[in-house]
């Protein structure tokens, strides 16, 4: 029995795939566990209505940010040459910035109308943070796939923990000081921005060649070779994300902020175990499949 266990552990130690998967599962698990552990604290610092408003803010953010980079970030691991991978990374980062700027214009012009239409006028002062969160999340995903291409799974896992950890610290400490809705929203956005900065730094530290200046013409040419990602993958991801976040929007629009808050806390606790496996293994498997192809 002991010899079988020793053989099994030795195979795990020698397998890059299993070792990388365990790193990602551990990091993603910690990142998913942090928001669940602080639920009892948040429910004592904030009202269900405030948590419901945060959930609505996150729903708006999630629906747009999922396509911020045109889904080109998923193509970064596919090209055989690092130069093509770098061009796709630059294109995804540029599109994330453009998406953020476009949404900033939307908030500037129609932010008040959006907040009133969905029955969340209390969110109107904080909608201007959405463009920053959308761009930062797009960069987070883009550079995480840049790290994935270089098999820097520890850095990816650290980035995920950094995001949820910094968000939790800000929300709890500011909540103790009576921050209210501002603490929840700013804490969430700050966590995304901090983790995006970490991803950029991690890739620059390990693979500075991905930061060589690329011409817009070369970026467009390479992006054209992977046009199926924005053409097919982006609409699919957009529709799926709408379906995932629609309940929160419907609850707060037709019922109350408190109902949306209770739902958001429950779904977070239930969905976390699934994300640990699907998100963690997804990037490792995708890279392995690209190598085999």
């Amino acid at each position: 029995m002991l010899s079988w266990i020793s053989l099994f552990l030795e195979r795990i130690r020698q397998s890059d795939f299993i070792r990388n998967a365990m790193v990602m599962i551990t990091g993603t698990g910690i990142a998913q566990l942090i928001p669940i552990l602080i639920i009892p604290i948040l429910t004592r610092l904030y009202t269900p209505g405030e948590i419901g408003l945060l959930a609505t803010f996150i729903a708006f953010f999630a629906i747009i940010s999922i396509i911020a980079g045109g889904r080109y970030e998923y193509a970064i691991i596919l090209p055989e040459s690092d130069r093509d991978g770098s061009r796709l990374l630059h294109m995804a980062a540029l599109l994330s910035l453009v998406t953020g700027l476009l949404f900033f214009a939307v908030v500037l012009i129609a932010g008040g109308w959006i907040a009133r239409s969905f029955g969340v006028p209390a969110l109107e002062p904080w909608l201007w943070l959405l463009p920053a969160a959308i761009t930062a999340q797009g960069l987070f995903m883009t550079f995480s796939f840049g790290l994935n291409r270089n098999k820097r799974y520890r850095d990816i896992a650290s980035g995920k923990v950094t995001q949820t950890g910094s968000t939790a610290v800000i929300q709890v400490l500011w909540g103790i000081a009576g921050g209210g809705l501002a603490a929840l929203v700013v804490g969430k956005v700050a966590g995304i921005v901090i983790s995006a900065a970490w991803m950029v730094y991690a890739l620059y530290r390990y693979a500075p060649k991905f930061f060589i200046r690329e011409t817009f013409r070369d970026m467009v040419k390479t992006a054209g070779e992977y046009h199926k990602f924005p053409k097919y993958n982006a609409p699919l991801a957009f529709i799926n994300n709408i379906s995932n976040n629609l309940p929160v929007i419907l609850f707060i629009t037709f019922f109350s902020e408190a109902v949306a808050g209770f739902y958001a806390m429950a779904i977070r606790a239930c969905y976390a175990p699934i994300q640990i496996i699907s998100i963690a293994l997804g990037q490792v498997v995708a890279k392995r499949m690209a190598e085999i192809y």
Side-chain angles (χ1 to χ4, degrees):
M1 181 66 178
L2 291 176
S3 61
W4 182 86
I5 294 175
S6 300
L7 180 61
F8 177 73
L9 293 176
E10 181 63 20
R11 287 183 177 178
I12 291 178
R13 190 183 66 83
Q14 294 178 354
S15 172
D16 286 340
F17 176 82
I18 296 177
R19 197 162 55 247
N20 293 333
M22 291 305 297
V23 169
M24 287 297 295
I25 289 175
T26 302
T28 305
I30 295 172
Q32 294 295 328
L33 188 61
I34 291 172
I36 296 175
L37 291 177
I38 67 170
I39 286 178
I41 302 175
L42 296 182
T43 53
R44 284 157 178 79
L45 296 175
Y46 304 98
T47 66
E50 289 172 335
I51 295 175
L53 288 169
L54 172 66
T56 307
F57 180 90
I58 293 174
F60 290 154
F61 149 76
I63 290 172
I64 303 301
S65 65
I66 195 72
I67 57 170
R71 305 297 279 181
Y72 278 117
E73 64 269 25
Y74 285 84
I76 292 173
I77 61 175
L78 296 180
E80 190 172 351
S81 72
D82 284 340
R83 195 65 189 270
D84 286 341
S86 173
R87 288 167 181 164
L88 290 171
L89 184 142
H90 280 73
M91 176 59 75
L94 177 62
L95 288 176
S96 297
L97 178 60
V98 171
T99 303
L101 292 174
L102 289 175
F103 204 75
F104 177 74
V106 171
V107 171
L108 200 64
I109 296 170
W113 177 83
I114 293 172
R116 291 189 297 273
S117 297
F118 287 97
V120 287
L123 269 184
E124 183 178 351
W126 306 108
L127 288 181
W128 64 272
L129 287 174
L130 273 174
I134 289 169
T135 297
Q137 181 65 16
L139 294 176
F140 176 89
M141 291 299 298
T142 297
F143 283 89
S144 71
F145 275 95
L147 289 167
N148 188 357
R149 181 178 178 87
N150 291 277
K151 295 185 177 182
R152 301 297 296 178
Y153 295 107
R154 291 184 184 276
D155 291 327
I156 298 174
S158 298
K160 293 177 183 292
V161 174
T162 298
Q163 181 171 138
T164 56
S166 56
T167 296
V169 170
I170 295 172
Q171 289 178 341
V172 170
L173 294 182
W174 198 350
I176 293 173
L181 179 61
L184 287 173
V185 176
V186 174
K188 178 63 179 178
V189 176
I192 298 169
V193 172
I194 292 171
S195 61
W198 162 255
M199 290 296 193
V200 175
Y201 167 73
L203 185 61
Y204 178 77
R205 181 185 60 183
Y206 181 77
K209 59 186 176 183
F210 280 85
F211 291 81
I212 297 174
R213 184 177 178 181
E214 301 287 355
T215 65
F216 184 72
R217 181 179 179 180
D218 288 338
M219 289 162 53
V220 171
K221 180 181 178 181
T222 303
E225 298 174 7
Y226 296 87
H227 66 277
K228 291 184 179 179
F229 282 87
K231 187 176 180 179
Y232 298 113
N233 192 288
L236 175 63
F238 185 67
I239 293 171
N240 282 342
N241 232 29
I242 289 178
S243 66
N244 290 337
N245 292 281
L246 190 59
V248 170
I249 297 175
L250 293 177
F251 280 137
I252 204 164
T253 302
F254 294 104
F255 294 94
S256 68
E257 298 165 355
V259 172
F262 286 127
Y263 171 82
M265 287 186 289
I267 201 68
R268 175 188 290 182
C270 293
Y271 194 53
I274 300 174
Q275 287 185 312
I276 292 174
I277 303 299
S278 62
I279 296 178
L281 288 181
Q283 288 189 312
V284 181
V285 171
K287 174 60 177 173
R288 181 58 180 151
M289 290 174 65
E291 290 176 341
I292 294 173
Y293 177 77

